Amino acid sequence: MRLVSTAVHADVNRRDFLMVATGAVAGVGAALVAWPFISQMNPDASVLALSSVEVDLAPIAEGQSIIIKWRGNPLIIRHRSQADIDTAKAVKVSDLLDNNPRNANAKGNDGATDANRVVDGKEQFLVMLGVCTHLGCVPQGDLGDYGVVTGNATTGGWLCPCHGSQYDTAGRVRRGPAPENLPVPPYVYLTDTKIRVG
Amino acid sequence: MSGPSNYQPTSAFGKWMHERLPIYAFVKETALDFPTPKNLNYWFTFGGILAVMLVVQIITGIVLVMHYTPQTDMAFSSVEHIMRDVNYGWMLRYMHMNGASMFFIAVYIHMFRGMYYGSYKAPREVLWMIGVIIYLIMMATAFMGYVLPWGQMSFWGAKVITNLFSAIPFVGDTVTTWLWGGYSVDNPTLNRFFSLHYLLPFVLAGVVFLHIWALHVPGNNNPTGISVKGPQDTVPFHPYYTMKDGFAILVFFIFYGIFVFYGPNYMGDAVNYVPANPLVTPAHIKPEWYYLPFYAILRAVPDKLLGVIAMFSSILILLALPWLDTSRVRSGNYRPIFRGFFWVFAIVCVALGYIGSKPPEGSYVLWGRILAFYYFFHFIVILPLVGLLESPKPLPSSISDDVLAKRKPMLAPAE
């Protein structure tokens, strides 16, 4: 009697082990096969190859913004006036909604000051993605409550038409629902007036 | 589904077939002879209407694909080619485009009918939950279909909706890049949406099969909400409900036809006849009408992540509905307090849709917040409390008694 019950018990254990082992191998195999089917949806080589662009800044007049396409997204380049810069510098970082400079060129995070959003000595040129950090619409320029107000006109500052987020003259978010400042892409000055983005 | 069929084939071929594939017995038992409560009203015809609309969408979709090009440079002009050059292309496209709206009109009536008559309550919880999954797949399918013409609303709708996933903490940006196949909505996005838009209706058909299976285990609910007690409460599905559903489908097709032929763009947005431009967002961007209540809930919350969570919760809360409603009486006809709250909730949903169509400024913001709060309040507070506090009206003893009680006296049969 004892022998039979032990045999049954041992048999069940061995089968359990085989079931678990087989299932585990099949699971790993399924995951390995699934990966290419998931990975194929990531950006392909041709998309990655298009990811840098050169821009000549000389033709952009003071107070003018241009929008070019970079990685399929609008890239805003604004030649800021001194009033733009002064307004941005006057803002206390404690008043910002997002105190991360969101600047791919900045080393570390030491506050979203105006200086941390631009290149030293080239602070008249603000380069950033025109993609609202809320849900991706293109914010419209020279609008909102955070630009430079002269009489009835507003210059600098951006307002997103979709859900009403607002950005100041340094492209920092000042009113939600957007959670982050407009991102500054990686870029370098090739010459005094020419940049390469990406 | 009832027990083994008592169908006996009479012809020689019928016998031969029955021993190999008893398909006719199956159809006869589950569709033709299926015992159905004899008091179903016209609100109960929308399931059949939805099944027909799914077939209409699949057929018109398959023929549209014969002329459509899923490529960003050509998608918009290929849709215009369908409209101008393809024989009857305008009609096929307008049928498909308005068919989506009709599908949602029917599904909303079907869902509110289920809510009013308590069709989600035991033993139909799984049936209801499969229905919610069908609704989610429908929304995904319609969203991806709307992207295909590659107009301005297509593009910006796609961008805003896919950006909802960027609210996921830590992996949000990785997920959106993966969904797009790039750094923005672009050709890879259009291609994969086309592929999935073609696939999902067939997935839908499979889940609809599960929905009908889950319906056939307990059988149909009915306007009294009480269960079938015997053969005197039912009639065979055919010819009684094939005729009733058929008539409802015919009337629904007239309504559908008025839109297809006389107001094909009434429910659409004119901005979608402007080709997609990734550098310019339209001044006033809003989704198709059937998403507006949820869009209003998204915008009611000033925080990005919480807004997205509120929007998805507003749909997923329907999965919990069978357990949120604590009343054991199914039909709203016998629940006077619930009935009042049901109509308030229906009006709140329509009002949310109106708010969703308006720009997020001024009093629309405040009203959006009040209504979004009420939407959740209805499910989380009102339904559980009303079920506990309300005294329902007395239920009829059986479906048959209820039907006979409503007959005019002169038509009553002699006992």
Side-chain angles (χ1 to χ4, degrees), chain A residues 33-46:
Chain A
V33 173
W35 178 245
F37 289 85
I38 295 166
S39 174
Q40 56 83 23
M41 279 174 67
N42 271 319
D44 61 36
S46 73

Side-chain angles (χ1 to χ4, degrees), chain A residues 72, chain B residues 150-160 184-186 272 276-278:
Chain B
W150 210 243
Q152 271 291 65
M153 278 297 172
S154 299
F155 182 90
W156 291 101
K159 186 135 186 185
V160 166
S184 177
V185 172
D186 212 328
N272 215 31
N277 181 349

Side-chain angles (χ1 to χ4, degrees), chain B residues 119-127 214 217-219 227 330:
Chain B
S119 301
Y120 47 81
K121 293 185 194 183
R124 296 187 183 81
E125 300 96 323
V126 171
L127 170 62
V217 176
S227 301
R330 293 197 192 101

Side-chain angles (χ1 to χ4, degrees), chain A:
Chain A
M1 206 52 211
R2 196 184 65 85
L3 276 175
V4 171
S5 89
T6 311
V8 168
H9 190 65
D11 205 31
V12 167
N13 267 340
R14 189 181 294 162
R15 290 207 174 191
D16 281 351
F17 171 76
L18 286 173
M19 281 301 287
V20 170
T22 310
V25 171
V28 169
L32 284 173
V33 173
W35 178 245
F37 289 85
I38 295 166
S39 174
Q40 56 83 23
M41 279 174 67
N42 271 319
D44 61 36
S46 73
V47 170
L48 294 171
L50 294 171
S51 49
S52 97
V53 63
E54 290 182 9
V55 193
D56 185 6
L57 303 180
I60 309 171
E62 187 176 309
Q64 189 190 8
S65 299
I66 64 162
I67 295 182
I68 59 161
K69 203 168 157 185
W70 175 67
R71 288 178 158 189
N73 281 311
L75 181 75
I76 296 174
I77 302 175
R78 177 168 171 83
H79 188 160
R80 301 192 296 172
S81 66
Q82 194 57 46
D84 278 14
I85 298 168
D86 293 342
T87 307
K89 280 188 189 299
V91 177
K92 288 194 290 264
V93 289
S94 56
D95 290 342
L96 297 172
L97 297 177
D98 176 21
N99 194 22
N100 183 321
R102 305 288 168 191
N103 184 343
N105 312 290
K107 290 177 183 66
N109 171 16
D110 49 351
T113 59
D114 187 63
N116 284 342
R117 298 274 298 160
V118 292
V119 171
D120 273 349
K122 294 282 184 190
E123 58 191 17
Q124 69 273 35
F125 286 107
L126 177 64
V127 180
M128 61 190 184
L129 279 177
V131 179
C132 182
T133 55
H134 181 224
L135 294 176
C137 297
V138 182
Q140 293 168 351
D142 300 330
L143 282 175
D145 302 337
Y146 298 95
V148 180
V149 181
T150 326
N152 287 331
T154 301
T155 54
W158 284 266
L159 169 75
C160 181
C162 291
H163 306 96
S165 298
Q166 296 197 22
Y167 301 88
D168 67 11
T169 55
R172 297 171 298 195
V173 65
R174 304 300 298 279
R175 185 179 297 171
E180 294 177 8
N181 302 324
L182 290 173
V184 176
Y187 69 98
V188 288
Y189 275 88
L190 300 174
T191 70
D192 199 36
T193 60
K194 197 171 186 184
I195 58 170
R196 188 180 66 220
V197 183

Side-chain angles (χ1 to χ4, degrees), chain B residues 45-323:
Chain B
T45 59
F46 282 88
I49 289 171
L50 283 162
V52 171
M53 284 314 299
L54 177 61
V55 173
V56 169
Q57 289 302 86
I58 288 177
I59 292 172
T60 52
I62 286 172
V63 296
L64 286 171
V65 168
M66 296 181 185
H67 307 278
Y68 169 78
T69 312
Q71 212 277 338
T72 51
D73 295 334
M74 294 190 282
F76 187 88
S77 47
S78 76
V79 171
E80 286 308 303
H81 159 73
I82 290 169
M83 294 299 292
R84 292 154 198 247
D85 304 339
V86 174
N87 297 335
Y88 299 102
W90 58 273
M91 190 181 88
L92 296 166
R93 171 162 178 264
Y94 280 155
M95 282 172 75
H96 196 71
M97 191 174 128
N98 287 284
S101 283
M102 294 300 136
F103 212 146
F104 277 96
I105 289 173
V107 91
Y108 285 135
I109 295 174
H110 191 64
M111 288 163 74
F112 276 111
R113 187 273 291 158
M115 287 185 193
Y116 183 83
Y117 291 117
S119 301
Y120 47 81
K121 293 185 194 183
R124 296 187 183 81
E125 300 96 323
V126 171
L127 170 62
W128 171 263
M129 290 164 84
I130 293 172
V132 175
I133 290 165
I134 290 174
Y135 175 56
L136 284 170
I137 299 173
M138 266 178 75
M139 295 221 280
T141 311
F143 159 65
M144 288 192 268
Y146 192 61
V147 175
L148 303 183
W150 210 243
Q152 271 291 65
M153 278 297 172
S154 299
F155 182 90
W156 291 101
K159 186 135 186 185
V160 166
I161 301 296
T162 49
N163 255 306
L164 294 176
F165 294 94
S166 73
I168 303 169
F170 308 113
V171 294
D173 288 336
T174 314
V175 170
T176 42
T177 304
W178 176 74
L179 285 171
W180 290 336
Y183 303 102
S184 177
V185 172
D186 212 328
N187 198 49
T189 325
L190 176 61
N191 272 261
R192 64 192 54 179
F193 279 16
F194 177 61
S195 168
L196 294 173
H197 183 70
Y198 205 117
L199 165 72
L200 287 180
F202 298 99
V203 173
L204 214 45
V207 184
V208 166
F209 175 79
L210 293 180
H211 194 60
I212 295 172
W213 188 1
L215 168 70
H216 277 209
V217 176
N220 294 67
N221 188 26
N222 67 86
T224 66
I226 56 178
S227 301
V228 167
K229 295 199 170 111
Q232 75 281 6
D233 289 343
T234 66
V235 288
F237 190 83
H238 178 76
Y240 294 97
Y241 286 111
T242 43
M243 282 300 121
K244 187 160 187 152
D245 281 357
F247 179 68
I249 289 162
L250 207 66
V251 174
F252 193 78
F253 271 11
I254 293 170
F255 178 71
Y256 177 22
I258 290 169
F259 280 98
V260 170
F261 295 106
Y262 297 102
N265 292 300
Y266 180 75
M267 288 184 281
D269 193 317
V271 176
N272 215 31
Y273 285 101
V274 176
N277 181 349
L279 301 186
V280 179
T281 307
H284 182 38
I285 159 167
K286 63 179 192 325
E288 289 281 86
W289 70 265
Y290 34 82
Y291 302 124
L292 288 173
F294 306 107
Y295 192 59
I297 290 172
L298 168 77
R299 294 194 307 190
V301 183
D303 181 83
K304 179 176 174 178
L305 177 61
L306 293 179
V308 173
I309 289 173
M311 191 192 72
F312 281 110
S313 310
S314 65
I315 302 167
L316 295 178
I317 201 168
L318 293 172
L319 290 171
L321 180 56
W323 295 276

